[in-house]
Amino acid sequence: AREFCIQMLHTAFPKQFVKQTYGADEASLVSMRILLRLSYVNAFFDAYKAFYLFLRNLNVCETRLGPSSELAHAHAVGPIFWMAFSWFSRGERDSQKAIEMAQRLDNKVVEGFAYTHRSIERYVAGNFKQGLEDAKRGVGIIKRVGEYFELAIGCTFLRHNSWCLGRFKESQAETAEFDELMANISSSMALGWALASNLRTHSYIGDIDDGAMADILKAVDLARLSRDKPNTVNFTRFLALAWSQRKNHAEAVREIENAATLFKTLFNKGTWILDMWANGAQIYLDALADGDDLSPKQRRHYMRRLRWFVWQARKWSALFPFFRGWVWQVWGSYNWLRGRKRRADTWAST
């Protein structure tokens, strides 16, 4: 709480609290770089500790360093943390500060970093066109400077934003080298992102073969191995989606329930995975639609679980709008199945 209050003072009174010219000793620089890396690493394991470290780093950079690559980098990671609290305007502010400062300092690494991280925030905020532009710009810069982990982030969210704009094959072409490159650099976490995002693209196209199933199973294992908490949940629901696409509804239901259980302990403020609730509702809708062999008891159970997933989706989409359209669809479909056709028509036309 203390670091948050300090940062709000810096925001409200920058002339009084934020250093306007560069000046730092070696000890301060080392301290800032350690804090930055600790906040970044902890973002995958402990979101609250990471948020504290991010604020601490940002506050010290602003008071001790002034305009610098370290301060630009601190601003660049801001959107990842602010979007966890649905404060998208603050993420936009920090991103713009990072980009402008990096351009003045001619620091291409931080500039590319800022664009790729803003693409995540804009995806979660539902600004897919702008998010896609940022991802493309960030990937273009990072390719030239050779920051492969940041390239993985940029390519992953280039695909994410593309999905929401219906650019399935185009995004595959634009990131064609992504999967092979991630395998070559031996990053378990980044390779998992590549395999899972590739699988999801294929699921939208309707092209899930045995090779794609093997890839998503490997992605789940890689997320667990690298302790990538939110994406362990995310890739498990991708597996559920793949089973559903292959009409194996029993396996799809089992995996989406597994994802819902994992969510309780592994969510870790990974807001980009929250469309899993609409995904879960869709899996139950598809299982009911194809469930001629379901017993009355099973149908009642599926309807109860469908309702629960729909309500989870509605709750989370109120704060994070990137999957709100999908929520309206599954909510309308649920009401149609319940015989509430007027309400279903209202939601379908929203």
Side-chain angles (χ1 to χ4, degrees):
R2 178 177 179 272
E3 296 297 335
F4 179 80
C5 292
I6 290 171
Q7 179 52 213
M8 293 304 98
L9 281 173
H10 288 197
T11 304
F13 306 105
K15 291 183 179 179
Q16 286 77 16
F17 294 103
V18 179
K19 194 170 184 177
Q20 303 299 312
T21 56
Y22 177 75
D25 54 68
E26 285 298 319
S28 294
L29 286 172
V30 171
S31 175
M32 297 310 95
R33 288 165 185 166
I34 291 172
L35 281 171
L36 177 63
R37 297 316 298 172
L38 284 173
S39 68
Y40 198 67
V41 170
N42 275 280
F44 296 100
F45 314 129
D46 187 334
Y48 293 102
K49 184 185 289 185
F51 186 54
Y52 164 77
L53 290 165
F54 156 70
L55 289 173
R56 175 67 178 161
N57 179 52
L58 180 58
N59 290 338
V60 178
C61 280
E62 288 185 333
T63 53
R64 292 188 191 174
L65 301 188
S68 59
S69 294
E70 288 76 17
L71 178 54
H73 210 157
H75 280 305
V77 300
I80 302 300
F81 295 102
W82 300 120
M83 76 179 186
F85 305 97
S86 196
W87 195 356
F88 300 115
S89 60
R90 178 56 193 255
E92 291 283 328
R93 169 195 177 272
D94 277 18
S95 289
Q96 195 58 38
K97 277 180 167 287
I99 291 166
E100 290 173 358
M101 197 175 295
Q103 288 174 343
R104 287 199 302 272
L105 297 168
D106 196 29
N107 189 321
K108 293 299 181 183
V109 173
V110 175
E111 184 184 353
F113 187 96
Y115 280 122
T116 57
H117 282 66
R118 189 167 69 178
S119 76
I120 306 174
E121 179 260 320
R122 286 180 164 176
Y123 169 74
V124 174
N127 298 322
F128 309 122
K129 187 174 180 181
Q130 292 176 314
L132 177 61
E133 291 170 356
D134 279 341
K136 284 183 175 181
R137 196 174 290 128
V139 165
I141 294 171
I142 291 167
K143 276 183 179 179
R144 295 195 293 272
V145 296
E147 283 286 330
Y148 293 122
F149 193 77
E150 299 308 325
L151 180 63
I153 294 173
C155 288
T156 299
F157 281 89
L158 191 157
R159 287 178 176 177
H160 276 64
N161 283 287
S162 291
W163 297 333
C164 296
L165 295 169
R167 302 177 69 259
F168 308 121
K169 293 182 178 179
E170 294 92 334
S171 69
Q172 287 295 91
E174 289 162 353
T175 57
E177 78 279 17
F178 176 36
D179 304 347
E180 183 180 352
L181 182 59
M182 292 306 107
N184 290 338
I185 67 170
S186 301
S187 170
S188 297
M189 187 179 287
L191 178 58
W193 299 347
L195 293 173
S197 61
N198 189 42
L199 178 280
R200 190 168 181 183
T201 303
H202 280 287
S203 74
Y204 285 127
I205 297 170
D207 176 26
I208 302 180
D209 56 17
D210 291 342
M213 293 301 297
D215 282 349
I216 189 59
L217 288 167
K218 184 177 180 180
V220 172
D221 288 341
L222 288 170
R224 288 173 179 155
L225 177 67
S226 58
R227 295 177 60 205
D228 186 353
K229 287 184 176 181
N231 281 321
T232 300
V233 185
N234 204 26
F235 300 167
T236 302
R237 70 77 178 246
F238 284 3
L239 178 58
L241 174 64
W243 283 122
S244 182
Q245 290 284 319
R246 296 187 71 166
K247 302 296 182 183
N248 190 334
H249 297 298
E251 282 296 320
V253 165
R254 187 175 72 84
E255 292 299 343
I256 199 63
E257 290 292 349
N258 186 22
T261 300
L262 291 171
F263 182 89
K264 297 173 186 176
T265 54
L266 301 183
F267 170 47
N268 200 41
K269 295 292 183 181
T271 51
W272 64 91
I273 77 169
L274 287 170
D275 59 336
M276 64 169 281
W277 300 113
N279 197 161
Q282 188 66 58
I283 284 169
Y284 273 103
L285 283 168
D286 292 344
L288 286 163
D290 294 339
D292 294 336
D293 58 340
L294 292 175
S295 68
K297 183 178 179 180
Q298 286 176 307
R299 292 189 73 85
R300 287 195 297 272
H301 173 69
Y302 277 22
M303 284 295 292
R304 285 194 297 271
R305 296 307 293 161
L306 167 59
R307 182 178 185 276
W308 184 79
F309 273 93
V310 167
W311 278 104
Q312 291 294 320
R314 291 186 67 188
K315 176 183 74 175
W316 286 106
S317 67
L319 290 173
F320 305 98
F322 70 102
F323 63 107
R324 198 171 289 163
W326 199 356
V327 174
W328 292 337
Q329 177 207 321
V330 295
W331 176 234
S333 299
Y334 169 75
N335 280 292
W336 186 272
L337 289 176
R338 290 296 303 273
R340 303 166 181 166
K341 295 187 178 181
R342 182 176 297 178
R343 184 181 295 182
D345 287 339
T346 299
W347 281 95
S349 60
T350 300

